[in-house]
Amino acid sequence: MAPRKQVQVQSPDVEYGEEAILARVQYETALCQRDGDAVVVTPKRRRLEVRTVRRPHRVGAMLVGWGGNNGTTLTAALLANRAGLRWETREGERRADWLGSLTQSATLKLGMDAEGRDVWVPLNTMVPMVDPDDLEVDGWDISGLNLEDAARRNRVLDVEVQRALAAQLRELKPRPAAFNAAFVAANQQERADNLLAGTTAQQLQRLREDIRDFKQRKALDMVVVVWTANTERFSEVRPGLNDTADNLLAAIDRGDAEVSSSTLYAVASVLEGCTFINGSPQNTFVPGCVELAQRHGTHIVGDDLKTGQTKLKSVLVDFLVGAGIKPTSIVSYNHLGNNDGRNLSAPHTFQSKEISKRNVVDDVVESNSLLYAPGEHPDHVVVIKYVPYVGDSKRAMDEYTSELLFGGRHTLAIHNTCEDSLLAAPLLLDLVVLAEFCSRVSFRAHGSQEDFVPFHSVLGLLSYLVKAPLVPKDTPVVNSLFRQRACIENVLRACVGLAPDSNLLLEHKLSTDIFSD
């Protein structure tokens, strides 16, 4: 990877202090109200001050499911990139990189030069971000294998990579994990040889101690906890159990069996002031957990990583509906052979994944009332099968059938083969890097003497990276991939005093240049 160079944006609306960047930007929205059959639009303009602390925290990531495919792959990638690892394959020499990472391998348009050419810069140079080489990693797993043995078992990394990193991976051993067997497939229990003992309340205390121990031993400013373990079934949500923060804490104290392991980790993270990211589709963030995060002012992000098939689906449906074509049937078939697939072979865990995959098209469909009547949706079916032989190389086959002019039909049939964990690991890195960045950004109205306020505890800004975005109450869910990415880009632009990128380029579309000075 090319060395990172920080972009210095010279703007009269930006002040670079020793500690922070202070930018002043105008935020514009269009407020729409219906008046009979008419829609009245009122432009709303607000001036904001955006403050970004310049020095990234010294941050560590604690992975739940550290010895799984995603955890070992991310750890190996961090070690390989830090060492500048090179190795031989049958196609020739390869070297460590961060392909697939938004923060490390993607660019955004900064503006135009004097000749009207677009100027593109690495996304991570807009504002100071954590360098992956500085990221510390630790975690828990129900399997006690060290990461060298776990990587060999998982069969994701090239053999030469495993050999090169063996000594380092061998020294890394997951901490004992909390485990509620009722929430995963029965076939996962044979791996469970590294478990926390004691009551649920005692396990919660042990998880908190683990976070504090990691933070202290590595001299960290901040810890981000990421669930990258097995998909759980959905938890029941009911009054007296998990509907409020106090009821959830009481349920943990009395050892209620309906408190999932992922929720227990989320609660431990919140109580320790850590950001928690849910990389699987279950309803980890029950109402009481969300309330607890807001009470403590910590960030939570979810749900489920958006890697291959679902990311493609969000693009295709957006394209079809945006073109005035009406998708009427979407059928998605997957088969994979890693442990995630094995766990999803149980109906109660598959249901969680099915829900997260099916909801991805809802907001795009709702955006076009010309194509869809209220409540109308495409037929949407998701199938996942466990096929051990294919390992981590997941196969996805999709069929999109749409209606055309004069009752015509348009069918897209797509076959997608993806290395599941090689797509997921860069997303885990992005989530940690961007979550840390968000902890350093705050806002207030221009000219106000009030304190700056941070992002909402439910960090919807990172929806681009997750399949079933968790958003604050009464907030619309956006699943359009283009809008999600534009949101991240425009927040970065606001941090250095630049207006959102509208892609208007009006100066190049007129018969005469009316913009010349």
Side-chain angles (χ1 to χ4, degrees):
M1 303 292 288
R4 180 189 304 181
K5 295 181 180 178
Q6 202 67 30
V7 174
Q8 290 295 328
V9 180
Q10 301 298 325
S11 168
D13 288 329
V14 177
E15 297 175 10
Y16 289 90
E18 184 176 339
E19 295 295 328
I21 303 169
L22 180 62
R24 298 168 186 85
V25 293
Q26 183 165 282
Y27 175 66
E28 301 187 9
T29 56
L31 181 63
C32 300
Q33 291 181 310
R34 292 198 173 272
D35 184 6
D37 293 332
V39 178
V40 180
V41 183
T42 306
K44 292 289 185 181
R45 296 179 176 86
R46 300 175 179 87
R47 292 278 293 174
L48 295 177
E49 294 180 0
V50 186
R51 184 178 65 184
T52 308
V53 175
R54 298 182 70 179
R55 185 182 71 84
H57 296 97
R58 178 162 168 74
V59 66
M62 294 196 79
L63 308 180
V64 187
W66 193 16
N69 288 36
N70 292 347
T72 54
T73 303
L74 174 60
T75 305
L78 290 167
L79 295 173
N81 277 278
R82 193 174 297 157
L85 184 66
R86 295 172 180 266
W87 68 97
E88 289 294 329
T89 72
R90 63 185 182 184
E91 286 87 18
E93 185 183 75
R94 296 285 304 182
R95 65 186 181 111
D97 55 46
W98 281 114
L99 295 181
S101 165
L102 177 71
T103 60
Q104 308 305 310
S105 298
T107 61
L108 60 78
K109 191 176 78 171
L110 187 64
M112 294 181 296
D113 63 16
E115 284 72 41
R117 294 187 295 263
D118 289 342
V119 176
W120 296 85
V121 298
L123 185 143
N124 62 13
T125 62
M126 286 289 286
V127 295
M129 290 188 183
V130 170
D131 189 324
D133 288 351
D134 298 329
L135 183 67
E136 298 287 350
V137 65
D138 203 314
W140 304 267
D141 201 283
I142 64 172
S143 169
L145 289 180
N146 65 59
L147 262 62
E148 180 197 10
D149 293 336
R152 186 181 301 112
R153 176 197 61 194
N154 296 338
R155 297 186 300 164
V156 175
L157 305 174
D158 282 350
V159 172
E160 289 300 318
V161 175
Q162 292 184 45
R163 288 173 179 163
L165 300 177
Q168 292 168 280
L169 292 173
R170 192 178 307 129
E171 297 300 314
L172 304 176
K173 183 176 174 61
R175 299 168 186 259
F179 181 56
N180 188 336
F183 278 82
V184 296
N187 56 38
Q188 297 305 298
Q189 296 191 44
E190 63 193 55
R191 297 168 63 121
D193 60 8
N194 189 43
L195 305 183
L196 286 175
T199 65
T200 307
Q202 290 170 335
Q203 291 179 30
L204 173 64
Q205 184 59 32
R206 178 66 181 276
L207 296 178
R208 297 183 64 181
E209 291 170 359
D210 285 344
I211 293 171
R212 291 197 293 268
D213 174 69
F214 177 50
K215 191 173 183 178
Q216 181 179 8
R217 283 194 304 106
K218 296 296 184 179
L220 302 173
D221 304 315
M222 176 180 179
V223 173
V224 178
V225 179
V226 185
W227 177 276
T228 182
N230 279 325
T231 295
E232 297 176 320
R233 67 164 172 85
F234 266 41
S235 302
E236 293 182 35
V237 177
R238 62 173 186 263
L241 170 65
N242 48 24
D243 56 326
T244 69
D246 290 336
N247 285 342
L248 177 58
L249 294 174
I252 292 172
D253 283 341
R254 67 174 180 267
D256 196 301
E258 197 55 27
V259 175
S260 69
S261 297
S262 63
T263 296
L264 194 66
Y265 279 99
V267 169
S269 302
V270 168
L271 294 178
E272 289 301 315
C274 301
T275 296
F276 184 86
I277 296 167
N278 178 32
S280 292
Q282 68 272 347
N283 62 337
T284 297
F285 299 123
V286 292
C289 188
V290 176
E291 182 185 326
L292 190 68
Q294 292 178 268
R295 179 185 295 177
H296 287 265
T298 57
H299 288 141
I300 55 176
V301 183
D303 298 305
D304 202 8
L305 301 181
K306 184 159 55 184
T307 52
Q309 183 184 56
T310 309
K311 185 173 287 186
L312 179 64
K313 184 178 296 183
S314 66
V315 172
L316 276 173
V317 175
D318 203 358
F319 147 64
L320 292 167
V321 172
I325 298 171
K326 183 180 181 180
T328 53
S329 171
I330 303 170
V331 180
S332 299
Y333 174 87
N334 306 253
H335 66 267
L336 68 164
N338 58 21
N339 192 56
D340 184 40
R342 189 166 184 243
N343 177 58
L344 291 173
S345 64
H348 61 292
T349 53
F350 165 70
Q351 185 181 30
S352 299
K353 178 70 75 172
E354 180 184 30
I355 291 170
S356 73
K357 279 179 167 284
R358 290 181 61 179
N359 289 349
V360 74
V361 304
D362 289 351
D363 70 309
V364 178
V365 167
E366 291 171 2
S367 72
N368 195 325
S369 61
L370 299 175
L371 297 182
Y372 299 95
E376 183 183 7
H377 290 83
D379 293 336
H380 193 176
V381 176
V382 177
V383 178
I384 300 177
K385 294 297 182 182
Y386 175 54
V387 181
Y389 181 77
V390 302
D392 205 58
S393 183
K394 181 168 67 175
R395 272 67 160 175
M397 287 159 276
D398 295 84
E399 182 185 86
Y400 301 79
T401 303
S402 304
E403 292 183 1
L404 300 175
L405 187 70
F406 289 131
R409 294 287 184 272
H410 174 250
T411 300
L412 284 169
I414 298 171
H415 181 276
N416 171 20
T417 299
C418 60
E419 304 292 337
D420 209 24
S421 300
L422 300 183
L423 285 171
L427 265 63
L428 294 174
L429 174 70
D430 289 338
L431 284 163
V432 173
V433 170
L434 290 173
E436 188 282 331
F437 157 72
C438 289
S439 73
R440 293 182 281 117
V441 182
S442 54
F443 307 81
R444 73 179 180 188
H446 179 54
S448 171
Q449 298 304 309
E450 300 291 329
D451 290 338
F452 284 84
V453 299
F455 282 108
H456 193 282
S457 286
V458 179
L459 203 53
L461 177 67
L462 305 189
S463 294
Y464 174 80
L465 301 160
V466 292
K467 195 172 297 174
L470 182 73
V471 296
K473 186 178 180 181
D474 300 324
T475 299
V477 177
V478 174
N479 257 315
S480 164
L481 199 71
F482 305 112
R483 291 169 62 192
Q484 291 170 338
R485 193 183 194 280
C487 180
I488 294 174
E489 288 187 14
N490 287 327
V491 166
L492 293 175
R493 295 174 67 86
C495 287
V496 291
L498 296 178
D501 188 5
S502 68
N503 294 305
L504 189 60
L505 295 176
L506 192 59
E507 61 270 34
H508 298 291
K509 296 178 171 63
L510 306 180
S511 59
T512 304
D513 183 6
I514 64 173
F515 295 101
S516 58
D517 295 332

